[in-house]
Amino acid sequence: MDAKELIARRVAQELKDGYLVNLGIGIPTLVANYIPAGIHVYFQSENGIIGMGPVPQEGMENPDLTNAGGQYVTALPGAMAFDSAMSFGIIRGGHLDVTVLGGLQVDEKGILANWMIPGKKVPGMGGAMDLVTGAKRVIVSMTHTAKGNPKIVKKCSLPLTSIRPVDLIVTDLAVIEPTEEGLVLKEVAPGVSVEEVLKQTEAKLIIPDTVPEMKLG
């Protein structure tokens, strides 16, 4: 299992039956492939669809059916399409149960930076600001480091997405929960030690007496 699959499988365990869920581009889109048996969730994309299914098999892509990142998606029976005004009304109106977003950095207070690197051209800021502000629960799914540099930092050096702290961080090394007291290490990935997580994390972590291993679906 590679790092991205591990992260997606762990995030999928956070979803509950009946949830309305928005998945960001990148690793978050993989979450749709690992929904636990018996759990039915409704995936929404800010470009105007509810009812997305797993990533289509090669050769089954439909160019008119994509998520907000332009990636091909499938539509489950009963899926619906609507305009951007309705879509962002759903997001800003607080109707999303969960959004799963990628991250460039998360700081000690749980503040996310995920939409641009200064000096690098980006196609657009998408809906990340609205999603972090409007969703009931925000989960960040990202690799723990980038080119050997920690992504969970004392203070973000990149432009912030929102001033609202995220609710959970899932990486290929750990599950970390931002709290009022600081970042709490909740779980470690299979075969990963607490010491390894600390070594790869710039931000201060609160370490409980017992840190269990991730349970993956």
Side-chain angles (χ1 to χ4, degrees):
M1 184 186 308
D2 64 19
K4 293 180 179 179
E5 180 179 340
L6 183 148
I7 296 167
R9 284 184 179 276
R10 177 58 188 85
V11 170
Q13 303 304 305
E14 295 292 316
L15 305 184
K16 294 181 170 55
D17 196 44
Y19 268 9
L20 180 60
V21 180
N22 179 288
L23 301 177
I25 61 175
I27 294 175
T29 60
L30 301 177
V31 173
N33 297 331
Y34 304 110
I35 303 303
I39 299 296
H40 183 79
V41 299
Y42 302 89
F43 289 111
Q44 183 261 4
S45 174
E46 57 263 44
N47 63 334
I49 183 172
I50 290 179
M52 292 185 296
V55 176
Q57 296 179 357
E58 187 174 351
M60 297 298 289
E61 301 91 346
N62 182 335
D64 293 326
L65 196 56
T66 68
N67 61 22
Q71 299 166 313
Y72 294 117
V73 297
T74 55
L76 299 174
M80 65 192 78
F82 37 81
D83 63 17
S84 293
M86 171 65 78
S87 191
F88 276 85
I90 291 171
I91 296 170
R92 294 170 182 170
H95 302 292
L96 282 177
D97 293 296
V98 176
T99 184
V100 183
L101 298 171
L104 297 172
Q105 293 177 328
V106 182
D107 73 12
E108 284 187 335
K109 296 182 179 179
I111 303 299
L112 171 67
N114 81 335
W115 68 279
M116 74 167 295
I117 298 175
K120 286 197 173 183
K121 192 173 182 180
V122 293
M125 63 182 69
M129 290 77 171
D130 299 272
L131 289 162
V132 174
T133 303
K136 295 173 185 172
R137 182 169 168 79
V138 180
I139 300 174
V140 175
S141 61
M142 65 180 188
T143 54
H144 207 90
T145 62
K147 299 180 180 179
N149 297 314
K151 295 172 71 173
I152 301 174
V153 296
K154 292 182 180 297
K155 186 176 182 179
C156 292
S157 58
L158 298 174
L160 303 180
T161 303
S162 170
I163 59 172
R164 174 192 168 178
V166 302
D167 297 286
L168 197 69
I169 307 163
V170 179
T171 77
D172 49 328
L173 299 184
V175 176
I176 296 171
E177 181 180 24
T179 70
E180 291 186 358
E181 289 73 35
L183 300 178
V184 179
L185 180 60
K186 303 291 289 186
E187 301 172 18
V188 292
V192 174
S193 67
V194 171
E195 290 72 23
E196 179 67 13
V197 175
L198 290 171
K199 183 179 178 182
Q200 302 293 337
T201 307
E202 179 188 296
K204 181 180 179 181
L205 297 180
I206 299 170
I207 311 297
D209 293 338
T210 302
V211 182
E213 191 172 275
M214 286 184 194
K215 293 182 179 178
L216 305 172

